[in-house]
Amino acid sequence: MSGGDKIDFEIRPNPAPVSATDRAALLANPGFGRVFTDHMVTIRYAEGKGWYDARVEARGPIPMDPASAVLHYAQEIFEGMKAYRTAGGGVTMFRPYANAARFNTSAARMAMPSLPEETFVDSLHRLIEIDREWIPDGADGSLYLRPFMFASEVFLGVRPANEYLYSVIASPVGAYFSGGVKPVTVWVSPDYTRAAPGGTGAAKCGGNYAASLAAQAEAFEHGCEQVVFLDAVERRYVDELGGMNVFFVYDDGSIATPPLTGTILPGITRESVLTLASAAGHRVEERPVAFDEWQADAASGRLREVFACGTAAVITPIGRVRFPDGEFAVAGGEPGTVTMALRQRLVDLQRGKAADPHNWVHHVL
């Protein structure tokens, strides 16, 4: 299969799925990323053959040779999105074709084959259909979907692999941060950077996240929930958090976020926030924001709110900022009205509770 050709999935139901009773117990408090559904999707790729052997099958270990290319050269990409229950008993996803497009952008940067967007979205449908009962109820509940692809060819040599495995797994989740929506404290890393110009910052690959872990651990040591990275060239301008984009709200109602210059992940939630904020009447700018500007504007009161956004956490207010020389609060450290209004608007859209003028909501069932 190649191009836009349709691929057929072989369905192999799990012969020993989790019982309804045990599933209900797990869904009562799933946490985030610790509980998984009964099935997964797999599709294989070989140079000269294209995509083949598409399956929905029982979730389980993936056999891997110790010389598999991904283990040595890190050719790997992934995506993250959610499926939601609606009040009418249906299931929605939010902008899955945007995830499909970004998946292929990441693939191109990592010298990996593209996956037709229709196949990407169809693979999500197939998994949601068979594991529908795993979608939690409740305001914060959703089914987190994790499509990923890695180099599976067995060889040692620095070149793009000729064989790949694409897979999708699913995890029922609650809120990303425990305790619900409340302002988080962030640590501005003085030593670590996330990505440099010309690197892989705009690709959603595992190496970017591995590179953030030492800085994230440093943030935890300073009592912070997340780390903020500055640019790799001047160590002056805000790039993004360890796993989220960042926005600044000012006293005149304007909103700013760092521009996409190749070092920042082009977040789908980020793009959605830009559109929603503009529609709500805010003047929106994509411009460099220096850390000293952040500190000065917080002190003067010009800066009223700061929030982070991403698929996992949706929109999360930032209340305090710590760095080696001290710390400061943003507007007293309380959630801002603009932040919470945008968050509610986004959540209502995702769950099919609001009008959708942008055709972002994808109805699965």
Side-chain angles (χ1 to χ4, degrees):
M1 170 205 157
S2 61
D5 298 340
K6 182 174 176 59
I7 191 169
D8 293 323
F9 286 81
E10 180 184 358
I11 310 298
R12 298 181 177 182
N14 190 329
V18 174
S19 71
T21 300
D22 289 345
R23 184 177 62 237
L26 290 168
L27 293 181
N29 185 22
F32 199 98
R34 296 185 177 276
V35 176
F36 297 92
T37 67
D38 291 310
H39 297 86
M40 66 182 185
V41 169
T42 57
I43 314 177
R44 296 190 177 277
Y45 176 91
E47 189 70 26
K49 185 175 183 178
W51 293 100
Y52 69 99
D53 195 17
R55 302 178 184 177
V56 179
E57 57 189 342
R59 181 187 178 275
I62 297 173
M64 182 176 292
D65 191 283
S68 296
V70 65
L71 300 177
H72 304 272
Y73 309 112
Q75 262 191 297
E76 179 271 350
I77 59 173
F78 66 96
E79 274 297 325
M81 65 206 73
K82 292 177 178 177
Y84 308 88
R85 287 191 185 274
T86 66
V91 178
T92 62
M93 286 190 290
F94 187 70
R95 306 188 66 184
Y97 283 94
N99 288 96
R102 187 173 65 181
F103 191 77
N104 282 334
T105 298
S106 296
R109 178 63 183 86
M110 302 300 288
M112 304 171 77
S114 64
L115 180 71
E117 291 183 10
E118 288 294 341
T119 300
F120 180 96
V121 176
D122 193 22
S123 72
L124 305 176
H125 273 236
R126 300 285 184 159
L127 188 56
I128 292 168
E129 286 168 0
I130 199 167
D131 281 339
R132 176 177 182 166
E133 296 305 316
W134 282 95
I135 304 175
D137 291 317
D140 293 323
S142 60
L143 186 67
Y144 186 82
L145 300 160
R146 171 52 61 86
F148 61 98
M149 176 168 61
F150 64 86
S152 57
E153 184 184 1
V154 178
F155 81 102
L156 298 179
V158 184
R159 62 162 173 81
N162 292 321
E163 297 175 8
Y164 296 87
L165 180 69
Y166 167 81
S167 183
V168 188
I169 57 175
S171 174
V173 299
Y176 185 72
F177 291 111
S178 61
V181 181
K182 59 182 180 181
V184 298
T185 301
V186 297
W187 170 255
V188 179
S189 176
D191 301 314
Y192 297 104
T193 60
R194 177 181 173 275
T200 60
K204 198 167 178 66
C205 61
N208 291 340
Y209 295 82
S212 75
L213 296 180
Q216 185 65 55
E218 185 179 69
F220 291 154
E221 291 172 0
H222 288 85
C224 301
E225 288 92 347
Q226 273 285 324
V227 62
V228 176
F229 290 105
L230 303 180
D231 74 286
V233 178
E234 298 186 52
R235 304 292 183 93
R236 179 186 176 195
Y237 295 100
V238 177
D239 262 3
E240 62 175 285
L241 276 67
M244 292 176 278
N245 298 116
V246 62
F247 282 78
F248 302 86
V249 183
Y250 296 92
D251 57 2
D252 61 358
S254 65
I255 299 176
T257 192
L260 301 179
T261 59
T263 63
I264 295 174
L265 184 72
I268 293 162
T269 306
R270 173 189 182 276
E271 182 188 352
S272 303
V273 168
L274 288 170
T275 301
L276 294 177
S278 180
H282 297 278
R283 179 169 56 88
V284 180
E285 297 180 283
E286 296 179 72
R287 65 170 179 84
V289 177
F291 176 57
D292 56 1
E293 174 189 346
W294 182 357
Q295 187 174 4
D297 287 345
S300 70
R302 178 172 179 261
L303 180 66
R304 294 297 176 84
E305 305 172 34
V306 182
F307 63 86
C309 69
T311 297
V314 190
I315 290 177
T316 298
I318 295 174
R320 300 193 68 81
V321 183
R322 291 177 182 160
F323 55 105
D325 294 331
E327 66 178 85
F328 61 90
V330 178
E334 296 300 317
T337 56
V338 173
T339 298
M340 299 310 291
L342 286 171
R343 187 183 194 281
Q344 191 61 55
R345 173 64 174 152
L346 188 58
V347 168
D348 287 346
L349 272 172
Q350 291 171 337
R351 297 177 183 274
K353 295 181 178 179
D356 180 24
H358 311 289
N359 291 320
W360 284 344
V361 178
H362 184 83
H363 293 271
V364 183
L365 299 168

